[in-house]
Amino acid sequence: MEIFGIPAQALYGQLALGLVNGAFYALLSLGLAIIFGLLNLINFAHGAQYMLGAYVAWMLLSYLGIGFWGALVVAPLVVALLGMALERGLLRYLRDVDQIYGLLLTFGVALILEGLVAQTYGWSGMPYANPLPGSVDLGFMRMPMYRLVAIAISLVVCLAVWIAIERTKLGAYLRAASEDADMVQAFGVNIPRLIMLTYGFGVGLAGLAGVVAAPVYQVSPAMGSNLIIVVFAVVVIGGMGSIAGSVIAGFGLGLIEGLTKVFYPAASTTVIFFIMILILIFRPSGLFGSTR
């Protein structure tokens, strides 16, 4: 069976692989959307924090014998704590200045983190043991078991975070603080602590994505910088600050990227940026962003 002259198995296979990439796009863009939407900060260190999550998982396994499932809890907490220290030590001083200063500072932090890791472990990628070997027969292809689990983890985390932000009292405080911090503080909420915890949560999601990515991609210092520009494009397309938009755009663009690899492979690395240009021209706020 062929679809537009392409064997159906090849088409479905690329869609499945695109969904795996989309799972990582969604997890990473979710953290970016939270940080920008609630803190109004463009966090260029997000890719480096994703890389740190993968390295912490690798170190936990190599030095302490803590496997993937333990690292899935410990590594995001470590990255979140480092993120909160960064917010307390540096970012809080830039809260009331132009966004460009926060972008430049986090870009510098990303370069420092990448350089320190490369100096310690080298630039060569290191493998991380697959926690779930084997595959599942989907009819049109055999899908590695772990990649299906990675998609499931991404979906569950994205849904849980969306519910927490949009449907809970804490989420209401966060959204209100992003609009009028002084009013929320008048109700007894510690705004500096709330900002610190929110930033820590956002970068913790990046660390979680790094742990999930470690068995799929090689753990290397450049793994974050190779991905962060694509993830920023995903956030712009979904709508800066839109939680649901980032998740939907992440999975959707992963599928589009997979389709492009089938019909026109040469454009697969640029199709997301082409879509971003169109979105910026015709809907600058993004597909799900506020037009205010």
Side-chain angles (χ1 to χ4, degrees), residues 28-254:
L28 277 167
S29 61
L30 177 65
L32 268 181
I34 288 172
I35 293 171
F36 180 81
L38 302 179
L39 306 185
N40 204 30
L41 171 68
I42 301 173
N43 183 38
F44 220 93
H46 211 68
Q49 289 153 344
Y50 158 79
M51 176 268 293
L52 278 183
Y55 266 96
V56 172
W58 180 84
M59 287 187 282
L60 288 171
L61 181 62
S62 301
Y63 301 143
L64 300 177
I66 297 176
F68 174 81
W69 302 108
L72 201 61
V73 176
V74 176
L77 289 176
V78 171
V79 176
L81 288 173
L82 292 173
M84 287 188 281
L86 173 63
E87 198 284 328
R88 285 285 82 191
L90 295 174
L91 291 175
R92 69 189 179 107
Y93 297 108
L94 304 179
R95 216 172 281 157
D96 299 321
V97 299
D98 194 279
Q99 290 177 350
I100 189 66
Y101 294 101
L103 186 152
L104 291 173
L105 189 147
T106 54
F107 180 65
V109 168
L111 293 178
I112 290 170
L113 290 175
E114 188 176 299
L116 287 174
V117 171
Q119 183 70 25
T120 306
Y121 295 104
W123 287 101
S124 300
M126 297 180 292
Y128 186 91
N130 186 348
L132 288 172
S135 59
V136 177
D137 188 357
L138 300 179
F140 54 88
M141 67 175 290
R142 294 197 68 85
M143 185 79 163
M145 174 70 75
Y146 177 74
R147 298 196 178 202
L148 287 176
V149 171
I151 295 171
I153 291 173
S154 178
L155 285 170
V156 170
V157 170
C158 290
L159 179 61
V161 170
W162 180 81
I163 291 172
I165 298 294
E166 299 292 339
R167 295 289 185 269
T168 67
K169 187 176 181 180
L170 176 60
Y173 280 138
L174 290 172
R175 286 181 281 113
S178 69
E179 297 291 337
D180 192 337
D182 292 335
M183 181 192 72
V184 176
Q185 191 159 11
F187 284 94
V189 177
N190 188 324
I191 294 298
R193 182 181 300 170
L194 187 66
I195 291 173
M196 179 188 70
L197 292 174
T198 302
Y199 184 77
F201 180 66
V203 302
L205 287 172
L208 176 67
V211 179
V212 177
V216 178
Y217 310 113
Q218 284 196 322
V219 179
S220 72
M223 64 186 294
S225 57
N226 292 339
L227 195 59
I228 190 62
I229 300 301
V230 175
V231 174
F232 267 108
V234 171
V235 173
V236 169
I237 292 167
M240 294 293 284
S242 171
I243 307 297
S246 294
V247 174
I248 294 170
F251 280 104
L253 291 167

Side-chain angles (χ1 to χ4, degrees), residues 235-240 279-280 283-292:
V235 173
V236 169
I237 292 167
M240 294 293 284
I279 292 296
L280 288 173
R283 189 176 171 83
S285 60
L287 295 176
F288 300 91
S290 171
T291 56
R292 289 187 294 111

Side-chain angles (χ1 to χ4, degrees), residues 10-21:
L11 180 61
Y12 296 150
Q14 284 298 331
L15 284 174
L17 295 176
L19 196 59
V20 175
N21 289 336

